Amino acid sequence: MSDPMRGWYDDAAVRGQRRRILHEDRERGLVLFPEKEIPYLGHEAVVALAPAARDALVARHLYQYLLYTVHLETKVVNRGVAMVANDEADYAIAPQTRLDAFKIYCDEGYHAMFNLDVVQQIERATGVASLPYDFRPRLDRLDHTAHRFFPEHPRLGRLLQVAVFETVVTATLADLPRDPTVYRVVRDVVGDHARDEAHHHAFFVRFFRETWTHLTAGQRVAVARALPHLIDDCLRPDVATIRRSLIAAGLPAPVAADVVADCYAEPAVRAVIRRSARHTLALADSVGALDLPGVRDIVGELGLAR
Ligand SMILES: [Fe+2]
Ligand SMILES: [Fe+2]
């Protein structure tokens, strides 16, 4: 199989992509985020808000997506990628794989930087400030799951977190770059990111399969059982941040809580998670992980079964 990071020196955004700059005259009539992808925008309490408050909600929804990525890249993905690059997994990492991991490390640092750059450019252009982003609850949840399934192998837990994040495919990353209703600068940066991530995806499919061959029978069961939980930890929407944004738009706290409850009902949330997780679950299935004892029950309990 060819090396998924082979073309990195020529293709990676960090190697050749010029800075993406917001030009207000190119963005007229466009939206900051696909409005159909914002579940609460059609809620009657939100429809009743003034247009400026609704625009600010859309801006903050975009910021939330971009800032989630900033934290994720630097606090979860690069934490695990650095372990691969430095040959600190529980088995010997091949020399080429170590170099590829450092390429990914550079990519993720650049993704974090250009996402924050775009947040700041849009804040200046629109006058809508981002709210403080608290990544700690998600990181705690991910680390809690890793510790629960791998109390003796913390490295394995951290590597698995990365393998999950790097193989799920969210609708935003897949579809937003081609959405003609969205700000060009937003389409451009998300498209730059998606192109790099296609290579990372291929790398981590290979890496997961390679890691699997080094696991004991007991570790395989733990990995297979942890995966659905890590998928949920990774993809579950951050409703606390959404609630804060609704309150900032002028909704009283109890109304904001009702809007979130109405628009993020569990079946709807699970349908979105299931869709984004399908490649990761197919990867697990390809090594036989889903057929290990108890695994399909967990997949079903978390609403991930197709
Ligand atoms: Fe990335
Ligand atoms: Fe990545």
Side-chain angles (χ1 to χ4, degrees):
M1 199 192 302
S2 69
D3 169 11
M5 301 302 293
R6 190 183 46 196
W8 183 81
Y9 289 97
D10 298 318
D11 301 338
V14 68
R15 296 280 307 159
Q17 179 55 55
R18 293 170 66 91
R19 183 185 179 204
R20 300 292 191 176
I21 295 175
L22 188 160
H23 297 286
E24 288 183 58
D25 50 331
R26 295 173 68 227
E27 313 289 12
R28 286 190 213 298
L30 301 177
V31 295
L32 283 166
F33 199 85
E35 301 202 345
K36 63 182 188 321
E37 303 294 334
I38 306 179
Y40 48 89
L41 222 49
H43 191 284
E44 58 183 5
V46 177
V47 170
L49 290 169
R54 288 170 52 82
D55 289 348
L57 278 172
V58 175
R60 286 194 294 268
H61 198 89
L62 171 70
Y63 298 156
Q64 185 182 351
Y65 169 70
L66 295 172
L67 294 174
Y68 159 82
T69 305
V70 168
H71 288 272
L72 170 69
E73 304 285 39
T74 49
K75 294 178 180 170
V76 181
V77 177
N78 268 356
R79 180 174 71 173
V81 168
M83 287 168 41
V84 180
N86 289 317
D87 193 12
E88 292 171 348
D90 292 333
Y91 64 92
I93 304 290
Q96 184 59 48
T97 305
R98 293 184 58 190
L99 281 184
D100 287 349
F102 268 127
K103 293 173 186 171
I104 293 173
Y105 191 93
C106 297
D107 288 344
E108 305 299 23
Y110 190 51
H111 300 160
M113 190 284 281
F114 71 52
N115 276 15
L116 183 62
D117 182 22
V118 165
V119 169
Q120 293 179 354
Q121 290 187 53
I122 294 172
E123 284 180 313
R124 285 193 291 272
T126 63
V128 179
S130 59
L131 300 177
Y133 191 90
D134 185 6
F135 190 73
R136 177 49 62 182
R138 189 176 302 273
L139 189 59
D140 286 347
R141 215 180 321 142
L142 282 159
D143 286 348
H144 173 80
T145 300
H147 183 71
R148 176 178 158 204
F149 287 94
F150 311 104
E152 313 286 325
H153 296 93
R155 293 171 173 187
L156 183 55
R158 290 186 168 187
L159 288 178
L160 198 59
Q161 290 168 345
V162 179
V164 167
F165 270 115
E166 293 289 292
T167 55
V168 298
V169 180
T170 64
T172 303
L173 199 61
D175 300 337
L176 188 149
R178 294 191 305 274
D179 186 332
T181 68
V182 173
Y183 264 46
R184 291 169 199 276
V185 72
V186 175
R187 266 184 269 164
D188 287 343
V189 288
V190 176
D192 292 343
H193 193 181
R195 272 188 297 282
D196 284 345
E197 289 304 331
H199 297 286
H200 298 185
H201 186 109
F203 174 90
F204 274 97
V205 164
R206 240 168 50 156
F207 182 78
F208 178 82
R209 292 200 172 120
E210 166 77 12
T211 301
W212 186 259
T213 66
H214 291 277
L215 299 177
T216 64
Q219 285 172 331
R220 286 183 179 186
V221 173
V223 164
R225 290 179 180 174
L227 258 174
H229 290 283
L230 290 173
I231 287 170
D232 192 273
D233 296 341
C234 148
L235 292 172
R236 184 161 287 275
D238 179 2
V239 292
T241 304
I242 293 162
R243 200 165 45 234
R244 282 195 289 276
S245 178
L246 290 164
I247 292 168
L251 293 185
V255 177
D258 287 346
V259 171
V260 166
D262 290 346
C263 299
Y264 291 90
E266 191 59 17
V269 167
R270 287 182 170 192
V272 174
I273 295 176
R274 184 165 58 240
R275 191 174 148 64
S276 301
R278 63 194 191 282
H279 298 290
T280 308
L281 285 171
L283 173 61
D285 203 16
S286 75
V287 297
L290 302 188
D291 295 322
L292 294 176
V295 177
R296 288 198 192 272
D297 289 344
I298 296 170
V299 170
E301 281 160 20
L302 292 174
L304 295 173
R306 276 172 292 172

